[in-house]
Every structure is written in structure tokens, then in C-alpha cells.
């Protein structure tokens, strides 16, 4: 059976807006909240070149699948601006430059599909522009509009996801989440934390547990900071505690984000997500994935072929620059894992909630999106 | 069905001895390897009073269920020595002092049963001495003998456990372990790492994965240090990676220690163990607990009543003294979890391997021990 939930009533967007602006396009460049400095420092940096944007994505100053999609789109705006400012006049040369910078940006992180999706949207816009007789100024203007649109649509999609997801959370329920799929990871509202925000706006007795999410501690560093900014109470636990919380009856609902979802519903997300899904299944606790359609990669039949980034082993070997393991050992540092669709209660998107039988239910969401 | 494995051949102790001496009784006191300083520094401190020993247990300078049992026994030797040195002559006064110090030591950490077990053994020895007409010098001598015996028997038990466990590990197999149930956690050979040591001595193509074990990182800080001291290769992963390792077919065998085992086989061990057991079950990977009989608390029908220590929340809030989460949030820090017996393939003890149907199989091991 493949079904798409059709909420009987309009999704209410009585959701808390987030105060957090992870990235903003300005006349000077892109203002990025440097997420590597949180929670100790709230520092904004201005990115002015596509190379600097690629570096910011690679070093995780900006991270989270939807956010790096938007960052990639803005990176191409910076490329187009550069072309204009250095006196470029040929649209075909602009196209060559954008393609080169697209490759650069695309290579920064392999797992999240939103990056290549957003870059693809930008290149499609360029192709459409090239079919007309446009000036470079006009090209820059249209590419800027497209990038801003991707950003605004992401915020809107997250709010809609939040609205759908909030209705699944029981009154006074306890929500557990992993990593940071929040305002910081998106255009500014969040997928999993969009559900949390919307649920809390409806019912301020809901509670939130955040997994710290080793090795990079996005749950500890980012999710707790983000939720306290928006005055939503949160309790932090280590990754190994989730199963015992569930066993003690302390969790009612699990929601996580996604970096790439295959056509069959298999979901790549931050390492540790699969562990959580196994525990949720064993305790019969609903386990939801919240993600915009741009995270779904229909070209992949299953999660088996999702590329999994292996990151620098210093992320495991050291914390805050101090070695926490013996010399002369090996490390293994996959950044993501794949949760099989069987473990996922539903995928909450901006077009509704896909339920098991994902091949059909996910396709139905895309048909609604047309 | 309750069965106790009866190995058809004698257990071979061709096991690697460990070079590690976590605690040693000397004429000056107890020389403790300060485990809070590892792996960066190998520092030994001399403990001379039962109060200092209680503090060392509480602050985890010495940790691991069997090791804190031995430390508790030595703490009472220090008490008896103090009594002698300050000119005490009445055995009944010595008994009062030992009981007071027993209470002090027993209160340091609630979950591991070995501490109260070893203290109980020491007090039983005192009762036996009191039935004779002993001098205080003689009491000190006999209590010292008993504590040394507890220590030596633990090492021997661990070697036997290692021998039984090693035969369960497939040729060239990959062993995953959690926390540190090693020489550092015992008299000097290890339970789970005793199995690893013995397996490696039989077949140096076996491989080892160690979970880092947040929040206190005993896997990262202690297990990697311990194994490299004994030249056994090890790969470190974060706690959230174990399930994906299993899904990728990279793990053949899981073995962990225990802090307290109920009569039905339910096992309290370091937080995160239950998560690992759920993942092992989902991937049909054998999940073994390795522990001496002194870890089994036959007074508890099930794991539901095992006291679970809740530790200082700074262990989650900070790493190396640096805050890694936002201000104004809550934390939850249970130090242990309970893995239901259903998830345990076998409990490897010095008297053989108990198999499911633990009420009977565990009892049979105790009968063998008589």
C-alpha cells in the first residue's frame, strides 16, 4: 500500500518563527553564521567568492542538507557577480565559469543531494536565460532571484513540514531528535526542528531530547543553542542513551532530518540515525524523517548506492584539539548512515506525509508538486 | 532450556599476559594507575587511607566493576593497617572501624555489585578471624591475604573467561566492544578484553573495534591505550557507528563486560551497551557478556531493580573543561543501562558459559563453583 496523508484541515502555520538566520545574501556577499564557533560564539562571516563558499561548506561553517543547497546556489550568484564586476560580457563565458564553480561546489560534500539539486536548479535557470538575449546584468539579476527563491521556498517548505509533523506529536509528548536538522541546517526554520517548533507552538508541554551526535556534536553544539534561542526547553543526552530512554518510556516520538532519500524511502542521515531507528522499532516508537522533496533522489532505487562521506579521522581522535585516544591506532569515520525504509514510520514533506510503500507514496508527492 | 557449556577440552591459557597493573598493594599503600589521566599520561598515585580510596573510586581514578571490588578490599586493608599503626588493640574496635569504612566505600558507586561483594568477603573474613583469638597484627595479615586472594583470583578468573570466550570468536573475526572491560577494569587481565587478548593470542588475524563510549570516553581513552600497550591493533569508532558497521558486515562478534547481572541474565553495563545489543540482535550478530561470577547478583530476580547511578551532568555539558552545549538547558546522565537477557547470546564466566534460560544456567555455574 502506498499512501500520501491528506490532512483533513488546512495546515496551520501558527508556528514559532525562528530568530536564526544561518545565511543571508547581501550586497556585500553572503553573511554566514559560522556554525563551527557555536555555541560559544555567534560569529557571522561574509563570503564573497564561490571558492570561499566551497571552503565554508567543506569546513562545515554552513552544514545541513537544505542549507548547503542554498549556500551552493548563493555561491553561483557570487560567481556571476564576480564575472560582472570583472567586466565579463559574454553569456557563454559566464556559463563556462558557472559550470566550473558548480563542479567545485558539488565536490565539497558528497552525501546531501540538496547541493547538487540546488546547483542543478541554478544551471537550469541559466539555460533558460541563455535562450533569450540577456545582458550579464540581467543574468546576475535572474540568478539572484532564483537563489533567493530557493531560499524562501525552503523556509516555506519547512514551515509546512512543521505543520504536518506537529499534528503527529501526542499532547505533552516527548520528542527525541538527532544531530541538527534545524533552522541552522536549512533556510531558517528547520525540518526535524521545524516539527519541534510547530509542535511547541501548538502545545508548550511537549518536551525535547537531543542526542549530542558524535563526532561533531551538532546536537550538543547546535540543537541546544538553536532551541534555547527560540526559548524551547531541551534536555541533552549522549548518543548511547537513546535506547535506555525509550526502554524507560521517556520518548514518544522520534524525528530526524535527511541528507538523501532514495526512491524506496531508504534514508541517509547523520551517523547514529540508524542506531536510533533500530531502538525506536524495538520499542514501537514512531520514527519519522522530515525533509523537503529536494532531499529525495528519485534516481536511486535504494539507499545502497548513496555515497557516504568518510570524514577526517581527527574528528574521532581529538576533541577541542586534545587527543582523546592512544597513539598508533586506526579510526573509521563515516559521516552518515542509511536507515532502511522498513524502520521509517513516515517521511514528512512539504507536500504531505509519505507512508510505507514509499516507491508509490513518494512518487505521489512529486505528482502533487507539479 | 538452561545449559552450561562444558568445553570438551581443557581451557588453554596460552593467553597474552597484560603488561598493565591497574592497582597493586605495597607496603606503602595501594599504587593506583590514575585512569583519569590516560591516555595522555601514565601516572601512578599511592593511596594510603580508606577515605582516599573512596575518593579514588568516586572520581574514577580506578573504575570497572571487578577493579573497584579489589580496590574496596584493599581500602579495608588500609583501614586495618591504620588501626594497627595508631596503636589499636581491640578486635571489636577494629571491626567497628572496618564496618564504617565498608559503608563509606560501598556508597561510592551504586551499580557495580563487585564492590559490595568484595567488601562482604572481607567482612566475612573478619568475622572468621573474630571467632579465633587473634592479635591485630594477625588480623591485618589475614585481611591482607584475603584482599590479595580476591585480586589474584580475579586475574585467574579473567584468564579463564578469556580462554572460554576466545573459542567463540571465528577465525579472523572482527570483535566489537564497548567501554573498557579490560585489564584496567579488573585485577589486570580483563573480562571482555580478556576474551580479546585470548582470541588474539590464538589467532592474530582477529580485529577489534572499540566504541568510544561517551560521556567519559573509556573506549577512546582506556581501551585503545590498553590494547596498544599489549600490541593488539584496534580501530576506534563513535558509539553511533556500531549499527552501521554491523549493517556493512564489518562485525562478527560483540563482547562487553558487566557491572551487575541479575539472576535472570539481565545485565547492567556502561550506558550504550543496550543500544549495541539491539543492533547486534537486528543483524544476528552474537552478543556476549563476559564477567566473573562475582558480578552476578542472585538476589535480584531481574534487571528492573538494579540501581542505576546518575552521574554529574558536567560529563555531558563539557569536554576537557570546555562547554559544548548551550547555557540554560537540561541534561540527563545515567551511567549504565540494562540489557534484557533476551538480547544476550551467552554470559562467559570463569566457570563456563551460561546460555539463555539464565535462571537455570547461571545457577548451575554457581553450583560448579562450590
Amino acid at each position: 500500500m502506498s499512501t500520501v496523508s491528506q490532512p483533513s484541515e488546512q495546515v496551520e502555520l501558527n508556528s514559532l518563527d525562528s530568530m536564526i538566520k544561518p545565511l543571508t545574501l547581501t550586497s556585500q556577499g553572503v553573511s554566514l553564521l559560522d556554525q563551527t564557533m557555536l555555541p560559544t560564539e555567534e560569529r557571522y562571516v561574509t563570503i564573497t567568492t564561490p571558492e570561499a563558499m566551497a571552503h565554508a561548506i567543506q569546513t562545515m561553517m554552513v552544514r545541513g542538507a537544505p542549507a548547503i543547497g542554498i549556500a551552493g546556489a548563493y555561491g553561483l550568484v557570487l560567481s556571476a557577480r564576480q564575472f560582472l564586476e570583472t567586466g565579463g560580457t559574454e553569456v557563454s563565458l559566464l556559463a563556462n565559469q558557472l559550470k566550473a564553480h558548480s563542479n567545485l561546489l558539488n565536490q565539497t560534500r558528497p552525501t546531501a543531494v540538496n547541493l547538487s539539486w540546488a546547483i542543478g536548479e541554478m544551471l537550469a535557470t541559466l539555460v533558460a536565460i541563455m535562450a533569450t538575449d540577456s545582458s550579464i546584468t540581467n543574468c546576475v539579476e535572474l540568478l539572484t532571484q532564483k537563489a533567493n527563491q530557493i531560499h524562501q521556498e525552503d523556509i516555506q517548505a519547512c514551515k509546512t513540514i512543521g505543520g504536518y509533523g506537529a499534528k503527529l506529536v501526542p499532547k505533552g509528548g516527548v520528542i527525541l531528535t538527532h544531530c541538527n536538522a534545524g533552522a541552522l541546517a536549512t533556510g531558517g526554520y528547520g525540518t526535524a526542528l521545524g516539527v519541534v517548533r510547530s509542535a511547541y507552538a501548538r502545545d508548550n508541554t511537549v518536551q525535547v531530547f537531543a542526542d549530542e551526535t558524535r563526532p561533531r556534536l551538532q546536537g550538543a553544539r547546535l540543537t541546544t543553542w538553536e532551541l534555547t534561542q527560540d526559548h524551547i526547553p531541551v534536555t541533552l543526552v549522549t548518543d548511547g542513551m537513546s535506547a535506555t530512554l525509550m526502554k524507560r518510556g521517556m520518548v514518544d516520538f522520534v524525528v530526524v532530518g535527511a541528507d538523501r532519500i532514495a526512491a524506496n524511502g531508504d534514508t541517509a542521515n547523520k551517523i547514529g540515525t540508524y542506531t536510533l531507528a533500530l531502538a525506536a522499532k524495538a520499542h514501537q516508537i514512531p520514527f519519522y524523517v522530515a525533509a523537503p522533496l529536494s532531499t529525495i533522489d528519485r534516481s536511486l532505487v535504494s539507499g545502497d548506492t548513496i555515497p557516504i562521506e568518510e570524514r577526517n579521522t581527527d574528528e574521532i581522535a581529538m576533541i577541542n584539539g586534545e587527543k582523546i585516544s592512544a597513539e598508533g591506532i586506526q579510526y573509521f569515520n563515516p559521516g552518515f548512515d542509511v536507515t532502511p525504509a522498513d524502520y521509517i514510520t513516515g517521511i514528512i514533506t512539504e507536500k504531505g506525509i509519505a507512508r510505507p510503500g514509499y516507491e508509490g507514496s513518494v512518487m505521489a508527492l512529486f505528482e502533487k508538486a507539479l
Side-chain angles (χ1 to χ4, degrees), chain A:
Chain A
M1 190 191 68
S2 73
T3 56
V4 177
S5 294
Q6 297 279 4
S8 52
E9 29 173 347
Q10 191 68 24
V11 173
E12 300 147 34
L13 293 179
N14 61 345
S15 41
L16 285 172
D17 267 312
S18 172
M19 300 305 293
I20 297 163
K21 307 273 173 258
L23 72 177
T24 313
L25 184 66
T26 69
S27 55
Q28 277 76 49
V30 179
S31 170
L32 272 192
L33 172 54
D34 182 353
Q35 300 189 31
T36 64
M37 303 303 292
L38 291 173
T40 37
E41 201 181 323
E42 188 176 341
R43 182 195 290 177
Y44 292 84
V45 293
T46 303
I47 302 293
T48 57
T49 66
E51 290 81 5
M53 185 61 89
H55 184 256
I57 295 171
Q58 202 146 37
T59 58
M60 296 177 69
M61 287 168 62
V62 57
R63 30 62 57 199
I68 66 177
I70 299 161
Y74 283 153
L76 293 185
V77 171
L78 298 177
S79 173
R81 282 185 184 176
Q82 235 176 8
F83 188 82
L84 177 66
E85 284 158 14
T86 54
T89 53
E90 287 287 326
V91 174
S92 63
L93 293 179
L94 171 62
N96 287 345
Q97 181 179 309
L98 287 178
K99 279 179 209 152
H101 284 142
S102 293
N103 289 340
L104 175 74
L105 289 159
N106 249 331
Q107 283 161 18
T108 51
R109 301 202 59 201
T111 302
V113 75
N114 311 61
L115 181 57
S116 61
W117 170 84
I119 287 169
E121 291 284 301
M122 293 295 281
L123 293 180
T125 300
L126 180 71
V127 168
I129 297 167
M130 287 175 77
T132 67
D133 187 21
S134 279
S135 67
I136 297 297
T137 309
N138 201 23
C139 286
V140 171
E141 178 58 29
L142 291 170
L143 288 166
T144 303
Q145 276 176 22
K146 181 66 190 178
N148 278 327
Q149 182 194 338
I150 288 171
H151 190 166
Q152 291 310 311
E153 285 180 358
D154 177 78
I155 295 175
Q156 196 50 51
C158 285
K159 288 186 174 179
T160 308
I161 288 168
Y164 283 129
K167 296 187 176 175
L168 301 170
V169 178
K171 171 89 181 146
V174 183
I175 306 171
L176 175 67
T177 189
H178 188 70
C179 195
N180 174 271
L184 289 168
T186 60
Y189 189 79
T191 51
L193 292 191
V195 174
V196 167
R197 278 197 170 80
S198 297
Y200 190 75
R202 286 165 62 102
D203 168 16
N204 70 5
T205 68
V206 299
Q207 295 175 61
V208 186
F209 276 106
D211 276 352
E212 66 173 9
T213 318
R214 280 280 293 153
R216 287 190 65 110
L217 296 164
Q218 294 94 331
R221 294 187 186 276
L222 305 181
T223 294
T224 69
W225 181 83
E226 172 169 339
L227 291 178
T228 51
Q229 290 291 304
D230 288 339
H231 308 289
I232 300 174
V234 56
T235 301
L236 182 65
V237 293
T238 67
D239 303 331
M241 290 174 191
S242 302
T244 204
L245 293 181
M246 294 180 189
K247 185 155 166 280
R248 291 179 182 209
M250 294 167 73
V251 177
D252 299 305
F253 187 87
V254 181
V255 62
V256 297
D259 288 83
R260 193 184 298 221
I261 301 171
N264 72 342
D266 290 353
T267 296
N269 191 45
K270 181 56 52 197
I271 191 74
T273 301
Y274 175 45
T275 315
L276 204 58
L278 288 168
K281 183 98 164 182
H283 296 92
Q284 300 176 291
I285 294 167
F287 180 92
Y288 283 93
V289 171
L293 290 186
S294 56
T295 306
I296 299 175
D297 184 350
R298 287 177 290 171
S299 76
L300 300 183
V301 175
S302 81
D304 296 346
T305 49
I306 297 176
I308 300 297
E309 180 181 7
E310 284 191 24
R311 297 187 52 82
N312 193 309
T313 57
D314 278 353
E315 292 183 353
I316 302 183
M318 324 230 268
I319 296 184
N320 296 340
E322 195 197 306
K323 195 79 184 282
I324 53 153
S325 55
E327 298 294 334
I329 67 164
Q330 303 287 311
Y331 304 92
F332 180 55
N333 188 18
F336 304 88
D337 57 28
V338 176
T339 298
D342 290 351
Y343 291 87
I344 299 169
T345 311
I347 300 173
I348 310 167
T349 78
E350 72 274 31
K351 293 296 173 190
I353 302 165
R355 296 287 180 181
Y358 290 108
E359 287 87 349
S361 62
V362 164
M363 192 59 78
L365 295 179
F366 277 98
E367 280 161 12
K368 277 180 78 180
L370 290 177

